[in-house]
Structure formats: C-alpha cells, structure tokens
Amino acid sequence: MKQLRILSMAACAVGFGLLASCSDDPDPVVVPPNESGFVEVDGGGATYPNSVFVSLRSGKQTAVARGNWDLAFSTGSDFKVLINGTTGAMASATSKTDINAVGAAEIAAAEASGELIMSFTNLQGILHVDDAANPLSKPVVAAVSATDATNVVYLLSRGASGVEAKPWKKIRVIRKGEGYTLQHANADATTFSSLDITKDKDDSFVYVSFESGIVDVEPAKTEWDIQWTAGTASTPYPDAVNGTLAYFYQDLVYHNIYGGVSTVQVMEADIAYEDFMAEDAAGLTFDSSNRLAIGSSWRLGGGPTSQPAVKEDRYYIVKDSDANVYKVRFLSLTKDGERGKPSFEYELVDAGK
C-alpha cells in the first residue's frame, strides 16, 4: 500500500476563532517521494553481517542480520517456502513424510555426497538452492501440496557463509487452511516441534527462525525498493548440472520484484547520469522478474592484482510500486577502506501516482 502520512485535525476554526469539531475521517495526505538522496549502506562491515533494505521514496534503510532467519513463507496465493540464501543455506528432499523417520541414514548420505556444502567443487549444488534470480519461480522446497501425504521431509543446511555455522535441521511443511504448519527438528532428533504460520497480505513473506519463531526481516512489500546483501548466486559452468554452478557472493543488489519494483541498466556512453530525464525512461525495457538485474553488475570483483571497485560506466533506473522513477548511481564499495559499507546516490526523475 502507499505510504501515507495522516494529518489529523483536533479542531477546526470557524467564525471569530471559535472551535468546532472536525470530521472523524480527515482526508489522507500523500507524502511526496524524496527528490534525491545519498545512502551509506549499513552492511555492518567487512564480514557483511547484514542484509539492508532501502526505500528510495523515504530514504529509509532497514538493516537485518543475515543469520536471524531460516525460512520465508510466501503470502501469495501459492504455498511456497524459501530457504535463507543470504547465508548460503541448502536443502535436500528425502523420500519420507514422517519427520521422525529421518535421521542417521539420510544425514550420512548427504554428508558423503557433499550435496549440502556450498563450494566450487559441488557440481550438484544448483539443485539444492532456490533460484537466485527469482526464488519463487523455482524453490528447492517443492510447493506445499494440499495433500499432506505428498509433502516430504527435507534436510536443511543453514549455511555458514559469513555467519555462525548451525546444526543441520530437518523440516516438513503442510498446509493449515490458508496458512502453513512447519514441523522442524535437529536432523538427528527423534521428536519435533510445530509452528503455525498465517499469511500476512501486507508482506511478501512471513519469516521464521528455528530459535525465535516468527521474526521481522524485510519491510512491508511496497515499503522497500532495493536490497544490498551477500547471498547465493549462480554462474555458467560447463561441468555443473545444467551448466550452472551455485556459489556465494558478496555485494549483491536485489530489487523488490515481489513488491512491484522494476529496474534497467543504463550506460554512461549512451546517456550521462546527469542528463537522464523522465522522457528517457519511456524507451527503456524494465526488468520486473529478475531480482539480479542489478546483482553484481555494479562493481568489479577484484583479483590478484586489483581491488574490488564500483563500475563508473553505468547506473540504474528504478521504478517503484507507485511508478516513481529514480536514477541510481553507486559511488563507493567501501568506507574508509572497509568493505560492507557501500554508498549510492539517487534522484527522482518522474513522479508516479
């Protein structure tokens, strides 16, 4: 929903300064979007502990520790569950539907195959992560069926990429009315816990931590535009499954595809950042389905003889859920030489609704 600021009048002046009561339903006043801004991302430092959600409309950023959640439950009409790609989490389906029947044999098989270890030698890894570009289009956990008997148990590695390693879990998700029931336990346990999850239509997902239950992570679905984070990505690799390798990457920038945000890259050689105007957006093709349209393309990865740096030959046009159009230019990858504190500037080029 739109961000609104309600101005409530306690009384109205009439006549000679006398006061009379106002309507109980004052007209809402829409706060206009920021015309420009500069953001130093609160990524937390060199170990990149945070994911950071930024609203261009308000300039607000919300930093959340990447390890604070384990599963994200879709609030849409589908029944889908995502694992925490920002920690490098991986999951593997078992053939069993009784969570207590999963244990030593399944753990040993997964450990022997290495399928739940994120590495450049795990050529099967892409089969055990959510799709990096559009997770709901191909989640590793199958869509939750209305037929309980078809919902199998999964082994879950919670990831250890820049976060504290935690014990493997086993999970099973079934439907409960229009929501979910999560069954979960340590992978070698003989009992399990259950948690009911109710969909909240104001959010894209309901987030769950095995330790803390339902937790706050991303803002409401239309209250953020881009997210800076570390997370699971993919790259072409001939020997990997389907020619694609899963790996973990720092300094990814997602845009909010499930909240109505779209984006497109523009090269300085085509039109300079300073010269980009509202009419220039009309001829662009915005991407609303690949959250990695910005991804890692805004920075150089560095190597043996160079340091990571911002690419200065490009910028991005971002259209928010209210059709406000911004131009966004990344300025730095570090602050005082420390990673995890990038910065960018942005400017409103066309006000939407």
Side-chain angles (χ1 to χ4, degrees):
M1 58 185 174
K2 282 189 176 183
Q3 296 180 358
L4 302 177
R5 181 173 298 156
I6 307 300
L7 304 180
S8 299
M9 301 286 290
C12 297
V14 294
F16 296 92
L18 300 177
L19 299 180
S21 63
C22 288
S23 166
D24 291 335
D25 299 308
D27 292 334
V29 177
V30 177
V31 178
N34 284 346
E35 293 189 359
S36 63
F38 170 77
V39 176
E40 289 184 344
V41 176
D42 182 18
T47 59
Y48 43 95
N50 296 338
S51 291
V52 184
F53 302 87
V54 180
S55 166
L56 300 178
R57 183 184 185 92
S58 67
K60 179 182 178 180
Q61 61 174 302
T62 302
V64 179
R66 290 186 290 111
N68 274 12
W69 63 278
D70 295 290
L71 300 171
F73 292 78
S74 173
T75 64
S77 59
D78 54 9
F79 287 79
K80 294 183 178 180
V81 183
L82 304 183
I83 63 176
N84 189 351
T86 73
T87 64
M90 306 179 78
S92 178
T94 73
S95 61
K96 298 177 180 178
T97 57
D98 179 359
I99 191 169
N100 285 335
V102 173
E106 289 77 15
I107 295 169
E111 289 177 339
S113 69
E115 62 189 14
L116 297 184
I117 298 174
M118 182 76 70
S119 74
F120 285 99
T121 60
N122 182 1
L123 304 183
Q124 304 283 323
I126 198 68
L127 299 177
H128 300 285
V129 297
D130 298 329
D131 181 75
N134 189 340
L136 287 178
S137 70
K138 194 176 181 181
V140 62
V141 176
V144 183
S145 172
T147 304
D148 286 357
T150 64
N151 295 311
V152 301
V153 180
Y154 286 78
L155 282 182
L156 175 67
S157 164
R158 303 167 75 182
S161 297
V163 296
E164 178 186 356
K166 297 176 181 178
W168 284 13
K169 292 286 185 175
K170 53 185 175 181
I171 63 169
R172 181 173 181 252
V173 184
I174 57 177
R175 294 192 192 185
K176 183 176 182 180
E178 291 302 308
Y180 308 83
T181 294
L182 166 66
Q183 300 173 350
H184 65 93
N186 285 342
D188 58 354
T190 56
T191 61
F192 65 90
S193 299
S194 291
L195 177 68
D196 292 336
I197 296 109
T198 301
K199 294 181 178 181
D200 184 341
K201 299 301 183 181
D202 288 337
D203 299 322
S204 294
F205 300 96
V206 178
Y207 289 85
V208 169
S209 159
F210 294 127
E211 287 79 24
S212 304
I214 295 172
V215 292
D216 290 331
V217 179
E218 69 179 73
K221 67 172 64 175
T222 59
E223 294 182 4
W224 67 277
D225 301 305
I226 60 176
Q227 175 190 359
W228 176 92
T229 190
T232 301
S234 61
T235 189
Y237 193 83
D239 296 331
V241 173
N242 299 324
T244 305
L245 186 73
Y247 71 107
F248 195 80
Y249 202 84
Q250 188 180 347
D251 294 308
L252 293 174
V253 175
Y254 302 142
H255 67 284
N256 184 8
I257 60 174
Y258 304 129
V261 179
S262 57
T263 189
V264 61
Q265 177 181 276
V266 177
M267 303 302 292
E268 285 277 354
D270 295 327
I271 181 169
Y273 178 85
E274 290 80 2
D275 297 334
F276 192 94
M277 306 292 287
E279 55 268 24
D280 298 312
L284 299 178
T285 300
F286 286 80
D287 193 322
S288 59
S289 61
N290 175 8
R291 67 176 185 168
L292 287 171
I294 299 175
S296 62
S297 66
W298 64 280
R299 60 95 152 180
L300 296 165
T305 60
S306 64
Q307 293 295 318
V310 170
K311 291 181 179 178
E312 299 180 353
D313 63 346
R314 66 198 63 193
Y315 57 96
Y316 302 88
I317 308 303
V318 177
K319 184 185 296 184
D320 72 11
S321 59
D322 280 337
N324 299 302
V325 178
Y326 304 86
K327 53 185 178 183
V328 177
R329 177 165 60 178
F330 291 90
L331 301 175
S332 67
L333 188 65
T334 65
K335 182 178 181 181
D336 299 326
E338 185 179 10
R339 292 285 294 276
K341 299 181 178 181
S343 66
F344 65 89
E345 64 180 343
Y346 65 95
E347 184 176 335
L348 178 70
V349 296
D350 189 17
K353 299 176 184 178

